[in-house]
Amino acid sequence: MMVVLRRVAHTPTGATPSTREGRLVPSIDIRCMIISTPTQKPRRSAMYVPAVNTRALAKVCSLDCDAVIFDLEDAVAPGMKDAARRNLVELFASARPARQELVIRTNAIGSDDFAHDMAAIAQCRPHAVLVPKVGAGHCFTAVAAAAAAHGLSHTLRLWAMVETPAALMALDEIVRAGLQTTPRLDCLVVGTNDIAKDTGVFPGDGRTFLLPWLMNIVLVAKHRGVCVLDGVWNDFADVAGFDAEALQSVKMAFDGKTLIHPTQVAPANRAFSPSEPAVAEALRVVAAFQRPEHAGAGVINLDGKMVERLHLAQAQRLLAIHDAIDARAKTSP
């Protein structure tokens, strides 16, 4: 997140004018709010692709999304699960997409399909496995055992859906358990549709009644240092609605958004990319702290503005995301 400073005249109770009055405080430029874990690759846009849809699978390589989630769960009817798994094995063997982060969403842990899913994953070797319906930390035990059995423990990343009341109630315990698991938890994915279904909470009106839960998910993710992706916007024909919800996601400090249609990729990438003014300001902050006269300084004066080292850390994080996005763009066909 980049910070633009503004001057306010305010003296809190107990503060003296010499220490507080007229001090410089941050004023947030919403377009600059790109908060992410320091080592995270861009995950601005994560497209769900039904593994049973061969036409959609054939178009994956042309998508400009940062991640593709090949879905073996909700998007695949029970009688089509085997065919969907065969589709993925064939795709990864013949035309493995090279530009995106590749994720496979399994069926629920403990189901017969989950064991078959993990066997297919062992053949596909995606970057990550997305586990649905996680309700407690012990759920990851089955994932760890299956990964070890297939030799995936140290090559696979673990993603987890947050989509049940149980997950909302025990999220910090779940994340702590996932961070101690091999493969290690790397990303949380919000399932807003399932949350609304299971709780009966109305999901409209700008998600007003979901916001407390969504913000708690973000808080746990940031506290524990894992990526967090917002849920889907269902009406892909409503472009303005998607843009509004994506902006809300940015303001809430999500790292990206899950998608259901190719037309949502470009708007999501724009929303979650640092703006040009933010990049320019970040470069100025970094350059200022690199000056010899500012070596070891905790606070500096930059063109009449007080800039602290926390702003430097924010600037460096924003530039790292910008560089990663730029590097990915250079690999585009």
Side-chain angles (χ1 to χ4, degrees):
M1 177 174 64
M2 275 305 303
V3 176
V4 179
L5 298 174
R6 61 184 173 86
R7 186 175 296 278
V8 297
H10 174 64
T11 306
T13 302
T16 63
S18 61
T19 58
R20 293 296 182 188
E21 188 173 345
R23 67 189 176 95
L24 289 166
V25 297
S27 174
I28 298 172
D29 175 1
I30 294 301
R31 292 189 63 205
C32 305
M33 293 183 66
I34 308 297
I35 302 294
S36 59
T37 52
T39 59
Q40 175 204 319
K41 62 178 63 179
R43 290 170 179 159
R44 302 164 296 173
S45 49
M47 170 74 70
Y48 283 110
V49 176
V52 75
N53 188 333
T54 54
R55 291 181 59 190
L57 292 175
K59 297 178 181 178
V60 163
C61 291
S62 66
L63 297 176
D64 194 36
C65 52
D66 292 332
V68 178
I69 302 173
F70 298 100
D71 193 9
L72 290 171
E73 192 210 14
D74 288 345
V76 181
M80 297 299 292
K81 301 288 187 182
D82 287 336
R85 285 187 282 265
R86 288 195 298 270
N87 288 343
L88 291 187
V89 171
E90 181 179 340
L91 174 69
F92 277 74
S94 60
R96 181 186 176 99
R99 295 174 51 240
Q100 301 104 334
E101 189 171 12
L102 307 177
V103 185
I104 296 178
R105 179 161 74 167
T106 69
N107 288 279
I109 295 171
S111 66
D112 291 338
D113 279 310
F114 176 76
H116 295 309
D117 293 344
M118 291 302 296
I121 287 169
Q123 296 181 67
C124 295
R125 300 279 169 166
H127 298 110
V129 56
L130 173 57
V131 182
K133 307 297 187 289
V134 175
H138 63 74
C139 291
F140 296 130
T141 303
V143 182
H150 291 291
L152 297 171
S153 297
H154 299 290
T155 61
L156 193 67
R157 290 189 287 269
L158 178 61
W159 291 22
M161 296 293 304
V162 183
E163 56 183 342
T164 66
L168 294 174
M169 293 293 292
L171 187 57
D172 191 57
E173 178 257 329
I174 290 170
V175 173
R176 284 189 289 113
L179 291 174
Q180 297 170 9
T181 300
T182 303
R184 190 173 187 270
L185 182 65
D186 188 52
C187 184
L188 299 177
V189 181
V190 178
T192 41
N193 287 335
D194 280 279
I195 290 173
K197 174 180 69 69
D198 289 351
T199 62
V201 170
F202 179 59
D205 289 348
R207 305 194 291 187
T208 298
F209 304 105
L210 292 172
L211 288 179
W213 295 332
L214 295 177
M215 288 307 309
N216 187 64
I217 296 170
V218 172
L219 179 63
V220 172
K222 301 304 176 181
H223 177 56
R224 297 298 177 186
V226 298
C227 178
V228 58
L229 304 182
D230 195 9
V232 300
W233 173 259
N234 296 309
D235 186 359
F236 58 82
D238 183 359
V239 177
F242 177 85
D243 288 343
E245 188 166 285
L247 178 59
Q248 182 192 56
S249 300
V250 173
K251 292 178 180 179
M252 294 169 69
F254 279 101
D255 295 301
K257 192 162 179 63
T258 48
L259 315 174
I260 59 170
H261 196 273
T263 58
Q264 298 175 334
V265 172
N269 285 348
R270 284 195 301 271
F272 288 93
S273 295
S275 66
E276 290 184 9
V279 172
E281 181 67 11
L283 289 169
R284 291 179 67 249
V285 171
V286 170
F289 273 98
Q290 289 175 341
R291 295 172 191 164
E293 64 269 28
H294 295 151
V299 180
I300 65 173
N301 184 325
L302 181 59
D303 299 332
K305 299 175 182 178
M306 182 187 72
V307 180
E308 302 176 61
R309 285 201 169 268
L310 66 91
H311 302 134
L312 172 62
Q314 292 169 338
Q316 291 170 329
R317 189 161 57 233
L318 184 144
L319 292 174
I321 289 293
H322 176 262
D323 289 345
I325 292 170
D326 186 57
R328 183 188 178 281
K330 291 176 181 177
T331 67
S332 300

